[in-house]
């Protein structure tokens, strides 16, 4: 990684939080015991750490208690849990025009079974209005699913206002926090969120393969676990336990990953979300200010730092976006993500489909000097006046 600049934190954070790697290594080297199975001191110590990680997540998302924190392999698995465990033929869902394929592909799989969905109007800045969502509700609408922040343009969706609609209209509310957890303060109870899906390896600065969801009691009463198996509890029964979190946690958890996530969450608690977000947004402000006015480059979505996260997508008007990303890496060591970012619906809303964009996503470990180097590269690329074939 020497002489490189990492601007792909929207895909996965790098570097991870301090102590993540060492905590995982120590766990595997000195006692990678299983929980809910081993009846000895080492296993109980690991179980205590897993419980504390649940407590950390409950505090982070302002959930009522750690009982409602469920671990999965990641946010895609979590969203599938909600969509496929809840929806039945005849059910209707409302989504925003910014959704990731982790939402849209499971939904489309259920269309053949009689599930329908509507996409809320989303403008070229990625803005979604609560009124636009409410107008799409039907008597058979079961849920609203909304990403909290776009993984393409960074625009923040007004989840508190949407949650108020859900409470008033007795509709379940699911929120995808892939791009907001670890950056924005998210209050599950105040926002009326029934299902909060999170990933551990992006803004939470933990390892890949970690994530999960937090669930309300109202949703728990309606959601069926689509996976079943051993939990280490109530082993005399062939039925899945009804108590949380066991109801949704079959098999062995990714304990090395959870140990790493615990270290990352400890770092976030010590540092504070406000400080982390401020650093990211100052870098974003510098980037947007310095590229403003560059010819042949269009910023997709919002043009300033209001109501957004530290994700910026650029569309090169006279150069293929993939070649622009290649040149940035080859000439300046800058790592970005180019394409449709698993979110074709968002790109259609933003007017960047099918060409996609080059995405820059900044982390708190990035520096102003790295931004300056990137701007020099973009200035040089913007001077190319014809499409390169």
């Amino acid at each position: 990684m020497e002489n490189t600049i990492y601007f792909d934190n929207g895909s996965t954070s790098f570097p991870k939080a301090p102590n993540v790697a060492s905590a995982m290594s120590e766990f595997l080297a000195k006692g990678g015991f299983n929980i809910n199975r081993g009846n000895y001191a080492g296993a109980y110590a690991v179980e205590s750490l897993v419980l504390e990680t649940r407590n950390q997540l409950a505090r982070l998302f302002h959930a009522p208690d750690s009982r409602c924190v469920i671990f999965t392999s990641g946010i895609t698995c979590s969203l599938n849990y909600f969509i496929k465990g809840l929806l039945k033929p005849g059910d209707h869902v409302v989504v925003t025009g910014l959704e990731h394929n982790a939402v849209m592909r499971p939904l489309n799989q259920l269309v053949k079974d009689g599930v329908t969905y509507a996409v809320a109007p989303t403008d070229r800045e990625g803005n979604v209005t609560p009124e636009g969502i409410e107008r799409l509700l039907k008597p058979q609408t079961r849920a609203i699913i909304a990403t909290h922040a776009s993984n393409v343009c960074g625009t923040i969706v007004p989840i508190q206002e949407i949650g108020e609609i859900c409470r008033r209209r007795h509709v379940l509310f699911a929120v995808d926090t892939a791009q907001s957890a670890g950056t924005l303060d998210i209050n599950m109870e105040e926002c009326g969120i029934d299902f909060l899906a999170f990933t551990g390896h992006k803004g939470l600065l933990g390892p890949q393969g970690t994530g999960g969801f937090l669930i309300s009691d109202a949703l728990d009463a309606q959601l069926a676990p689509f996976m079943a198996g051993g939990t280490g509890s109530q082993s005399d029964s062939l039925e899945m336990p009804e108590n949380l979190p066991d109801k949704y946690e079959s098999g062995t958890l990714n304990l090395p990953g959870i140990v790493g996530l615990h270290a990352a969450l400890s770092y976030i608690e010590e540092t504070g979300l406000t400080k982390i977000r401020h650093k990211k947004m100052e870098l974003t402000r510098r980037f947007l200010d310095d590229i403003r006015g560059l010819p042949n480059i269009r910023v997709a979505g919002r043009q300033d730092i209001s109501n957004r996260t530290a994700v910026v997508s650029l569309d090169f008007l006279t150069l293929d976006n993939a070649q622009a990303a290649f040149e940035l890496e080859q000439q300046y060591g800058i790592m970005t993500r180019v394409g449709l970012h698993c979110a074709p619906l968002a790109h259609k809303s933003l007017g960047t489909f099918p060409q996609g964009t080059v995405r820059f996503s900044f982390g708190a470990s990035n520096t102003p000097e790295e931004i300056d180097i990137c701007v020099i590269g973009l200035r040089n690329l913007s001077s190319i006046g014809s499409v390169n074939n």
Side-chain angles (χ1 to χ4, degrees), residues 334-355:
I334 298 168
M335 291 175 278
T336 61
R337 184 177 176 193
V338 62
L340 292 171
H341 313 99
C342 300
L345 195 63
H347 281 280
K348 289 177 181 178
S349 298
L350 298 167
T352 51
F353 185 90
Q355 75 272 22

Side-chain angles (χ1 to χ4, degrees), residues 2-62:
E2 189 176 353
N3 299 321
T4 60
I5 297 173
Y6 187 76
F7 284 161
D8 194 21
N9 289 279
S11 176
T12 193
S13 57
F14 183 83
K16 300 302 181 184
N19 300 324
V20 168
S22 59
M24 296 174 70
S25 176
E26 183 177 0
F27 170 76
L28 291 169
K30 296 185 178 179
F33 307 117
N34 210 349
I35 65 170
N36 298 337
R37 276 83 171 169
N39 298 310
Y40 38 84
Y44 297 144
V46 176
E47 190 166 359
S48 177
L49 186 144
V50 171
L51 176 58
E52 174 52 29
T53 309
R54 294 190 204 273
N55 285 326
Q56 288 175 311
L57 290 161
R59 290 195 295 270
L60 179 68
F61 297 120
H62 303 274

Side-chain angles (χ1 to χ4, degrees), residues 11 51 60 67 79 90 108 112 163 203 245 253 266 293 379 385:
S11 176
L51 176 58
L60 179 68
R67 181 182 57 89
L79 290 165
N108 273 293
K112 66 179 185 302
L253 296 177
S266 297
R379 185 174 295 117

Side-chain angles (χ1 to χ4, degrees), residues 79-261:
L79 290 165
N80 272 264
Y81 230 124
F82 176 79
I83 292 166
K84 295 181 177 179
L86 176 72
L87 301 177
K88 302 293 186 293
D91 286 343
H92 177 257
V93 178
V94 176
V95 300
T96 77
L98 297 172
E99 299 310 309
H100 191 277
N101 276 343
V103 168
M104 298 313 300
R105 284 181 172 175
L107 270 181
N108 273 293
Q109 286 182 330
L110 295 183
V111 167
K112 66 179 185 302
D113 297 326
V115 173
T116 59
Y117 66 86
V119 179
T122 306
D123 67 20
R124 289 298 176 93
E125 289 193 335
N127 297 311
V128 181
T129 67
E131 297 77 18
I133 288 178
E134 186 164 19
R135 282 194 292 269
L136 296 175
L137 297 182
K138 301 179 178 181
Q140 62 268 37
T141 300
R142 192 79 182 278
I144 294 172
I145 305 174
T147 185
H148 190 191
S150 170
N151 73 314
V152 176
C153 65
T155 301
I156 298 170
V157 173
I159 59 170
Q160 183 160 356
E161 292 84 350
I162 297 170
E164 291 171 359
I165 292 171
C166 290
R167 282 192 291 261
R168 177 162 40 83
R169 300 290 294 270
H170 305 290
V171 172
L172 293 168
F173 188 27
V175 177
D176 171 356
T177 70
Q179 297 294 327
S180 60
T183 297
L184 303 177
D185 188 32
I186 305 168
N187 192 311
M188 185 176 178
E189 292 193 282
E190 282 187 5
C191 293
I193 300 171
D194 294 290
F195 186 91
L196 187 153
F198 71 92
T199 187
H201 72 100
K202 298 187 182 187
L204 295 185
L205 305 176
Q208 290 97 326
T210 59
F213 60 87
L214 288 79
I215 188 170
S216 70
D217 288 337
L219 174 59
D220 178 43
Q222 304 176 53
L223 190 65
F226 75 81
M227 286 183 59
T231 59
S233 60
Q234 301 180 30
S235 296
D236 60 318
S237 174
L238 299 182
E239 302 294 330
M240 284 295 294
E242 288 295 320
N243 58 291
L244 297 177
D246 296 23
K247 179 179 176 180
Y248 304 108
E249 287 185 351
S250 299
T252 297
L253 296 177
N254 175 10
L255 294 174
I258 293 171
V259 168
L261 181 59

